[in-house]
Amino acid sequence: MKPIKVGLLGLGTVGTGVVRIVEKHQSDLESQVGSPIVIEKILVQNKDKARSISIDQHKLTDDVWEIIHNPEIDVIVEVMGGIELTRSYILEALSRGKHIVTANKDLMALHGPEILSKAQEHGCDVLYEASVAGGIPIIRTLIEGFSSDRIMKIMGIVNGTTNYILTKMSQEGADYSEVLKEAQALGYAEADPTSDVEGLDAARKMTILATLGFRANVALEDVDVKGISAISREDILYAKRLGYEVKLLGIAERQDDYISVSVQPTMVKRSHPIASVNGVFNAVYVYGEAVGETMFYGPGAGELPTATSVVADLVAVVKNLKLGVNGKQEKIAYKEKKLKTDEQIASKYYLLLHVADRAGVLARITQAFAEFEVSLESVLQQPNPSNPEAEIIIITHDANKASMKKVLNSLEDMEVVKTIKSVYRVEG
Ligand SMILES: NC(=O)c1ccc[n+]([C@@H]2O[C@H](COP(=O)([O-])OP(=O)(O)OC[C@H]3O[C@@H](n4cnc5c(N)ncnc54)[C@H](OP(=O)(O)O)[C@@H]3O)[C@@H](O)[C@H]2O)c1
């Protein structure tokens, strides 16, 4: 049987896993697709670098055109990362009729529509299962498993670094900066952690999930992003005391045909399944109008988990090749995108205020909420022994974002409110 020849762009963490899985599972893969799968050439930056797997040196190249211009190569697996250079390689490969498998969320979040439309133009497949939540097959699930339902809400813990940090802060009562340093030492956080801790990585993944879930082209600019770097030990402590965990959640919601997408630290009721997702694990909770609640859990990164998703995509491309149906997938984003206004985005909120410790303060504060029609679920006032100010903890009922902004402006102007320490969305 004629082998299917694959060009691999990148032999780092994920690329190495892809080589291992293709070698180790070769006979199973061949039984599934009816041909051997051969990794013909591998693009690297440095051919002389020591590798953790033994690899035929002749397969390595530092010239991408040796792969893209090779007429024998049917599929290109892109696991080198990067945006602009990678985009140009992929567009050129597509124009030459090569199918693409990629793990690159940055590329798909920023240039997904362009790449997918180029693929359609040339009758090619572009699959990107590993780009969100590494080893969890969430992309195929959203496209195929939910095709008969109407997804109303997606909530994701889609960044392992921030979930590791928040879990440690919660379990050990540690400070943010302390845990970040530890995560960096363990290799769970980058030397420059900005993209993870400020929520950008999660926002890119939510762009992809929301596009698939709501069948409309959601762009990165549509995602309201707030990271975890301002979360204090005090926040975590109060959350726990009230029965919540603080998680960096990507939240994509639909009401009628209007959608909103955000990434923000959220207080999640401990009884909610996503509250118990700890450490570097990822989870995606999907609420379908018909099916109700579902949740998908697993490793969000790592060599073999990520590579299993990449190779599963490779198998799908090869099956399509055999059936002659590459590039024939339905258009995913067929709906017009309608974004909710701040008046339409509703949730419960948690606020921690430091206020003057004197009579009548609580009444003035609750009055500000009443003025903008935000009703309160609970209010807790307690003196702070280390501080002349008192602390007020407020949890609202569902309130729209526009009203909450007005309440916050009004609190900021009050002489009795010394600091608005924290404001978080509440789920569950
Ligand atoms: N790591 C994960 O767990 C994970 C999970 C999900 C998705 N992803 C995505 O998968 C992709 C790869 O991640 P990774 O962690 O495997 O990256 P990595 O370990 O840094 O490996 C990158 C590989 O690409 C090669 N490379 C990079 N730039 C190149 C260039 N300009 N020309 C030629 N070769 C180049 C490098 O060559 P050398 O080896 O010679 O340096 C290396 O082999 C990224 O898009 C990432 O976001 C990763």
Side-chain angles (χ1 to χ4, degrees):
M1 201 60 82
K2 189 172 165 274
I4 301 296
K5 294 192 176 172
V6 176
L8 185 62
L9 310 187
L11 187 58
T13 305
V14 185
T16 302
V18 169
V19 172
R20 280 193 220 278
I21 289 179
V22 167
E23 279 174 5
K24 198 163 169 225
H25 299 177
Q26 183 61 236
S27 73
D28 273 336
L29 297 176
E30 191 173 335
S31 304
Q32 289 181 59
V33 302
S35 297
I37 294 179
V38 172
I39 296 180
E40 182 74 3
K41 273 275 171 207
I42 306 174
L43 178 74
V44 291
Q45 243 163 345
N46 177 2
K47 289 199 285 178
D48 300 322
K49 191 167 162 179
R51 308 273 164 193
S52 62
I53 41 168
S54 74
I55 208 103
D56 175 357
Q57 271 304 111
H58 294 106
K59 290 199 172 198
L60 298 184
T61 178
D62 51 15
D63 177 8
V64 72
W65 307 116
E66 258 192 67
I67 295 176
I68 294 177
H69 293 167
N70 182 340
E72 297 210 322
I73 287 179
D74 306 293
V75 189
I76 290 186
V77 171
E78 185 276 304
V79 284
M80 60 182 260
I83 301 174
E84 282 314 320
L85 191 63
T86 318
R87 166 179 166 264
S88 68
Y89 292 167
I90 286 181
L91 291 176
E92 175 64 18
L94 287 169
S95 70
R96 288 172 178 267
K98 314 258 185 243
H99 309 291
I100 304 290
V101 171
T102 178
N104 193 329
K105 76 248 158 190
D106 305 319
L107 184 73
M108 291 312 291
L110 295 172
H111 301 295
E114 181 191 22
I115 287 171
L116 294 171
S117 99
K118 184 87 168 179
Q120 278 223 318
E121 196 185 309
H122 293 276
C124 295
D125 288 341
V126 173
L127 299 183
Y128 46 100
E129 183 63 73
S131 65
V132 181
I136 309 175
I138 187 63
I139 290 187
R140 196 162 286 118
T141 300
L142 291 178
I143 298 173
E144 292 171 15
F146 279 89
S147 59
S148 61
D149 206 345
R150 201 174 143 79
I151 293 174
M152 304 310 289
K153 187 168 186 172
I154 302 173
M155 291 203 293
I157 293 181
V158 287
N159 181 274
T161 305
T162 46
N163 203 48
Y164 174 85
I165 293 173
L166 293 174
T167 303
K168 278 267 170 183
M169 286 176 77
S170 169
Q171 290 178 348
E172 295 173 11
D175 262 329
Y176 168 78
S177 53
E178 216 174 280
V179 184
L180 174 60
K181 269 194 213 122
E182 190 188 317
Q184 285 169 320
L186 288 169
Y188 291 152
E190 307 270 344
D192 176 1
T194 315
S195 164
D196 290 322
V197 300
E198 297 308 340
L200 186 62
D201 174 80
R204 288 182 169 169
K205 291 165 178 167
M206 288 310 295
T207 303
I208 297 172
L209 294 184
T211 295
L212 298 174
F214 301 143
R215 320 278 176 192
N217 267 325
V218 174
L220 188 58
E221 305 80 76
D222 302 327
V223 186
D224 193 10
V225 189
K226 189 174 158 195
I228 66 161
S229 57
I231 295 180
S232 67
R233 190 156 45 176
E234 190 186 31
D235 287 330
I236 305 266
L237 196 75
Y238 282 132
K240 282 169 78 86
R241 210 180 281 170
L242 296 166
Y244 294 90
E245 293 292 338
V246 179
K247 296 287 178 192
L248 183 69
L249 285 193
I251 303 175
E253 287 177 298
R254 157 154 67 187
Q255 211 169 19
D256 302 321
D257 265 341
Y258 289 85
I259 63 173
S260 64
V261 189
S262 65
V263 169
Q264 57 189 305
T266 305
M267 290 196 15
V268 188
K269 198 87 178 155
R270 207 168 288 134
S271 55
H272 194 288
I274 213 161
S276 58
V277 175
N278 286 326
V280 292
F281 276 90
N282 280 198
V284 182
Y285 166 98
V286 184
Y287 189 92
E289 198 174 57
V291 72
E293 293 187 297
T294 62
M295 196 168 91
F296 306 87
Y297 170 85
E303 180 185 311
L304 291 176
T306 310
T308 54
S309 289
V310 172
V311 179
D313 276 351
L314 183 55
V315 166
V317 171
V318 178
K319 283 182 177 169
N320 287 348
L321 264 172
K322 297 280 169 157
L323 295 169
V325 295
N326 299 101
K328 299 246 172 14
Q329 296 98 325
E330 82 285 13
K331 195 168 188 291
I332 288 167
Y334 54 83
K335 279 187 172 257
E336 186 196 345
K337 174 178 69 185
K338 293 186 200 162
L339 294 174
K340 286 187 191 180
T341 61
D342 280 359
E343 282 74 17
Q344 292 169 302
I345 299 175
S347 75
K348 286 163 68 165
Y349 287 89
Y350 158 96
L351 291 90
L352 172 61
L353 311 175
H354 284 190
V355 301
D357 194 4
R358 58 175 191 258
V361 170
L362 191 54
R364 287 197 55 193
I365 287 169
T366 53
Q367 175 58 33
F369 285 84
E371 191 183 332
F372 297 106
E373 295 178 358
V374 175
S375 61
L376 304 182
E377 182 184 288
S378 62
V379 180
L380 185 73
Q381 179 172 11
Q382 52 187 27
N384 184 340
S386 61
N387 199 323
E389 294 159 3
E391 288 176 339
I392 295 186
I393 295 163
I394 294 172
I395 296 186
T396 72
H397 285 298
D398 268 347
N400 75 57
K401 199 171 163 185
S403 298
M404 267 311 293
K405 278 185 181 166
K406 288 180 194 154
V407 171
L408 291 172
N409 286 339
S410 164
L411 293 176
E412 264 167 17
D413 290 343
M414 278 186 199
E415 178 270 317
V416 292
V417 175
K418 302 302 173 194
T419 330
I420 301 174
K421 289 287 284 181
S422 318
V423 181
Y424 296 125
R425 181 180 167 129
V426 175
E427 279 293 326

